[in-house]
Amino acid sequence: MDTAATLTPESLLRRLQWRVVRRLDGRLQGDYRTLFRGSGLDFTDLREYEAGDDLRHIDWNVTARMDTPYVREYVEDREVTAWLLLDRSASMSFGPVDRQKSLVTAEVATTLAYLLARGGNRIGALLLDSGVRTIPPGSGRNQVLRISRALLEPPREPADRATTDLGVLLHAGLGVARRRSLVVVVSDFISQPGWERPLSLLTRRHDVVALQVADPRETDLPAVGMVYVEDAETGEQIFVDTSDPVFRRRLAEVAAQRQEDLVSTARRAGTDLHRVATDDDLVRSLARISELRRRRRG
């Protein structure tokens, strides 16, 4: 399998079109709104309530003033501006040589960008490494390749090796996404605390999809005896016995608690956290996310 170092934007897109997009077309039957959109509705007008109207569309402020129930009318907005918020911090380099978390991020982002561009939508991207790099919104195949090219380039090294602050990326997203947009956050969510509030602000204004890229070996080390383990973010090293059942059990417990906390935090912020592992089939992962989002809307 090609690695990020040998892939070109064109070869990555062609591979994804054949191995992922074609299969998604069959599974989702073109209904990408279940994957990308929330309500998919824009407010247009007010009118008096009629029997059978959706009670969720009642405008209570107008109803109180007019002393008659009024509902908001909506039309479907078929075009969307999407922002991809992409984590390229040091911890994203973890994983198998031929499928690190950074490569999975590139595959996910390129796939989503292509599907959105194919529908005539505009896509922009924010990339977090030593700072935040902005790729302004654009449309068409060239924009997809532009985003893919940026993700296949080596990330810029930060001046100091400190734990990533995901809040910086989310705050940047608040700054660039002016009108209601689709915002897709792709990260391993290994971050300093404090990212919850900007995520909550994003979910209030936009349709937010949070994708957590993970590798099974982060929580289930192979039993290979005494090894040095290095924190990719800080460079700190510790010497551990991976064959020790007590250590392995404790590692699993800590990982499970962290994952539970992440899921709860994302839900409090107003969105679900969807996990995509380095050993997952991308088609199944995206189809699963589509189904979960469809159920939540229902």
Side-chain angles (χ1 to χ4, degrees):
M1 181 184 291
D2 294 329
T3 65
T6 59
L7 281 171
T8 66
E10 281 283 359
S11 64
L12 175 61
L13 180 55
R14 285 197 302 269
R15 189 179 75 178
L16 292 171
Q17 285 175 308
W18 178 253
R19 298 183 181 179
V20 178
V21 174
R22 184 174 60 89
R23 290 168 58 200
L24 274 176
D25 280 337
R27 295 191 60 159
L28 300 185
Q29 297 180 338
D31 187 12
Y32 295 112
R33 284 172 296 169
T34 61
L35 178 59
F36 300 128
R37 306 301 303 278
S39 61
L41 302 174
D42 275 353
F43 168 70
T44 56
D45 203 356
L46 285 165
R47 63 169 173 77
E48 287 192 32
Y49 173 85
E50 298 177 359
D53 285 339
D54 191 333
L55 296 178
R56 294 174 298 180
H57 293 168
I58 292 179
D59 189 312
W60 294 106
N61 290 329
V62 175
T63 296
R65 289 199 304 269
M66 304 298 292
D67 200 27
T68 300
Y70 271 76
V71 295
R72 288 172 170 246
E73 286 190 311
Y74 296 85
V75 294
E76 186 171 21
D77 178 16
R78 292 189 177 274
E79 291 189 0
V80 62
T81 297
W83 282 96
L84 306 179
L85 276 53
L86 308 170
D87 182 359
R88 304 190 74 218
S89 60
S91 61
M92 298 298 286
S93 64
F94 188 84
V97 173
D98 59 351
R99 195 165 171 76
Q100 296 177 337
K101 291 191 290 183
S102 57
L103 178 56
V104 175
T105 298
E107 291 179 342
V108 169
T110 302
T111 299
L112 297 185
Y114 174 77
L115 292 173
L116 285 162
R118 192 172 67 171
N121 304 294
R122 289 164 51 82
I123 313 101
L126 296 177
L127 287 71
L128 174 68
D129 41 36
S130 62
V132 178
R133 172 184 174 186
T134 303
I135 300 178
S139 58
R141 183 184 179 88
N142 286 340
Q143 180 70 356
V144 177
L145 294 175
R146 189 173 295 117
I147 294 172
S148 177
R149 182 176 298 107
L151 288 168
L152 293 176
E153 293 172 352
R156 296 172 296 181
E157 292 292 335
D160 58 335
R161 299 193 70 175
T163 304
T164 301
D165 186 354
L166 187 59
V168 172
L169 179 63
L170 299 175
H171 275 296
L174 287 167
V176 297
R178 300 298 184 182
R179 56 169 292 185
R180 180 169 175 81
S181 306
L182 168 70
V183 177
V184 182
V185 183
V186 185
S187 171
D188 57 9
F189 288 84
I190 297 175
S191 169
Q192 297 178 21
W195 53 268
E196 302 89 344
R197 176 165 174 73
L199 180 62
S200 179
L201 292 173
L202 278 171
T203 61
R204 294 178 194 177
R205 304 178 190 176
H206 308 287
D207 181 17
V208 176
V209 182
L211 304 181
Q212 179 193 15
V213 180
D215 185 85
R217 282 157 288 272
E218 292 174 305
T219 58
D220 186 17
L221 289 174
V224 292
M226 303 295 295
V227 297
Y228 280 103
V229 178
E230 179 177 327
D231 187 322
E233 297 275 328
T234 65
E236 179 184 359
Q237 292 185 339
I238 57 174
F239 197 49
V240 300
D241 183 2
T242 59
S243 299
D244 182 356
V246 176
F247 168 77
R248 295 175 64 82
R249 183 173 66 251
R250 179 57 181 158
L251 177 65
E253 291 172 351
V254 170
Q257 184 60 56
R258 176 182 179 274
Q259 186 65 23
E260 183 179 329
D261 292 343
L262 283 176
V263 170
S264 298
T265 299
R267 284 180 179 165
R268 286 196 301 269
T271 189
D272 292 321
L273 185 66
H274 303 284
R275 190 175 184 272
V276 180
T278 56
D279 59 353
D280 281 349
D281 178 274
L282 191 54
V283 174
R284 292 195 188 98
S285 294
L286 293 177
R288 181 179 68 247
I289 294 168
S290 173
E291 176 63 17
L292 290 172
R293 284 170 58 77
R294 185 188 65 79
R295 289 180 182 177
R296 182 174 182 179
R297 277 210 317 279

